[in-house]
Amino acid sequence: HKIIRRINDSHLLGVLREHSKNLELLTQTQKYLLDNEHISSDELLKLVSEKAELDRRIVSILSDSVYEARLPSKPYDITVDTAKLMAHTRMWYMDIVKLELQKQMIDTQQELTNYVSTMQIMPFTRFSYYNRNNARNTHNFDVGVSFRLPLNNETKKKRDAFKAEKKRVSLQQSQIQRRIEIQMKLLFEQLTSYNENIKGEYQRMINLKNYISQRVNSYKNALGDNYSRLQRLQEYNAYLTSWERLLDFQMQRDNRLVDLQSYIIDRPLRDFLIIKQIQ
């Protein structure tokens, strides 16, 4: 998040500095008109306040950012292959994997817990020698195995306990998976919203740029280039303000992408993204 903020701030700093210069020219123009009693002071006060806030943001960025000011390029439309990402998360999300391994261990313990495993088997050997009067002495050598079977239901209780534990683990696994899916779907919705805002703001900028160009040509052809400098500054001011909004949407969108990356530990999020430059 910190890296994204700093990269975005380097772009924002380039726009804010340009905006500050434009506001300075607008302020000088308004002062001139005010001195000549062509306008009221309301517009000038608004410009002074706007420039002060702009300069405050510039100082704030300069005190924290390690990047130089850079003017931004065309924005990108970044969408997520949601089905692929969700399937991968269900398979590899760490907490889900740990619980799956825990269930497998319970299955193994349950299989090993049966009457055969609790039966005691004791091999034995026995040698007997008989010393008899008035007869030949005799001896016997016996080899065998003795079995001892439990008559209580301790084995059944253990198996029932393993079943209950596995059910608890499965429920916990389902709850975690459900929680993750809800959180990721919320991020998907936010990404879609920010992408739409970015595309909408960029289209607005294109329309504004075309409008300014048309006005320049119209005034040049009709009035011999008698195009109010005040109008030019105001229109350019609107264009720069639009850039600032777009960069803010872009930073919010990129932060949501970082949030998505936290659900993946073995691959970069880029593997699940569809990136296209907005035309």
Side-chain angles (χ1 to χ4, degrees):
H1 286 292
K2 188 173 183 179
I3 290 173
I4 284 176
R5 178 171 55 81
R6 284 183 168 178
I7 292 175
N8 181 80
D9 282 352
S10 69
H11 290 145
L12 184 61
L13 186 59
V15 175
L16 291 177
R17 282 178 169 174
E18 185 74 9
H19 197 170
S20 180
K21 292 176 183 177
N22 191 68
L23 286 177
E24 178 65 29
L25 290 173
L26 265 172
T27 302
Q28 292 176 5
T29 304
Q30 294 288 357
K31 284 182 179 179
Y32 174 80
L33 294 175
L34 181 63
D35 292 340
N36 289 273
E37 299 182 350
H38 290 299
I39 61 168
S40 68
S41 61
D42 293 343
E43 186 67 25
L44 180 59
L45 290 174
K46 180 181 176 182
L47 284 172
V48 171
S49 177
E50 185 179 351
K51 187 175 186 305
E53 174 61 21
L54 206 65
D55 291 340
R56 183 197 64 80
R57 294 176 65 188
I58 291 174
V59 171
S60 176
I61 292 174
L62 287 173
S63 65
D64 183 59
S65 180
V66 296
Y67 295 93
E68 296 181 358
R70 296 184 296 177
L71 291 177
S73 58
K74 286 185 178 180
Y76 287 88
D77 177 46
I78 303 177
T79 55
V80 182
D81 188 337
T82 56
K84 182 180 177 182
L85 180 56
M86 294 286 276
H88 181 83
T89 304
R90 293 188 195 103
M91 185 71 66
W92 297 107
Y93 187 70
M94 182 57 71
D95 289 345
I96 295 177
V97 172
K98 287 167 60 178
L99 292 174
E100 186 62 35
L101 291 174
Q102 192 173 337
K103 287 198 301 182
Q104 293 176 13
M105 291 176 63
I106 293 173
D107 286 337
T108 302
Q109 290 176 310
Q110 187 175 350
E111 290 175 3
L112 295 175
T113 303
N114 50 47
Y115 286 102
V116 174
S117 65
T118 57
M119 180 176 61
Q120 296 182 7
I121 303 174
M122 295 174 291
F124 68 89
T125 61
R126 183 170 56 217
F127 179 77
S128 303
Y129 185 83
Y130 303 96
N131 190 6
R132 299 185 296 178
N133 295 325
N134 303 321
R136 291 178 61 186
N137 295 335
T138 62
H139 63 274
N140 291 325
F141 184 74
D142 300 322
V143 177
V145 178
S146 66
F147 299 87
R148 179 179 294 178
L149 295 174
L151 298 179
N152 57 33
N153 63 346
E154 187 66 25
T155 299
K156 183 178 183 302
K157 290 180 180 178
K158 288 182 178 180
R159 290 177 64 86
D160 289 343
F162 285 134
K163 289 180 182 178
E165 177 65 10
K166 183 178 179 181
K167 186 176 181 180
R168 184 193 67 80
V169 173
S170 296
L171 180 61
Q172 184 180 358
Q173 189 180 38
S174 298
Q175 290 174 339
I176 291 176
Q177 184 170 315
R178 177 60 178 164
R179 173 174 55 82
I180 291 171
E181 288 179 353
I182 291 175
Q183 292 172 347
M184 291 179 70
K185 286 178 181 177
L186 178 61
L187 290 174
F188 294 155
E189 292 175 0
Q190 292 176 345
L191 282 170
T192 300
S193 176
Y194 285 126
N195 271 324
E196 291 302 317
N197 286 331
I198 289 171
K199 287 188 285 188
E201 196 64 45
Y202 188 62
Q203 186 59 50
R204 181 172 181 270
M205 290 167 57
I206 291 175
N207 293 339
L208 183 58
K209 189 175 181 180
N210 292 336
Y211 169 74
I212 294 173
S213 178
Q214 290 173 358
R215 282 174 61 86
V216 170
N217 292 331
S218 296
Y219 274 88
K220 185 175 182 179
N221 294 332
L223 302 175
D225 202 21
N226 187 19
Y227 183 14
S228 169
R229 289 184 173 84
L230 178 61
Q231 286 180 302
R232 294 188 190 187
L233 291 170
Q234 290 172 337
E235 290 163 356
Y236 189 46
N237 192 55
Y239 179 76
L240 293 170
T241 300
S242 189
W243 255 121
E244 292 170 27
R245 282 195 297 267
L246 187 146
L247 289 172
D248 182 61
F249 291 142
Q250 189 168 277
M251 183 178 70
Q252 296 298 331
R253 190 266 314 276
D254 292 346
N255 279 329
R256 299 294 81 75
L257 291 173
V258 173
D259 293 337
L260 274 180
Q261 178 67 70
S262 65
Y263 293 95
I264 313 170
I265 62 170
D266 60 328
R267 295 173 63 181
L269 180 64
R270 179 176 289 273
D271 293 349
F272 303 90
L273 299 182
I274 303 169
I275 304 175
K276 296 183 295 184
Q277 192 171 56
I278 300 175
Q279 300 299 325

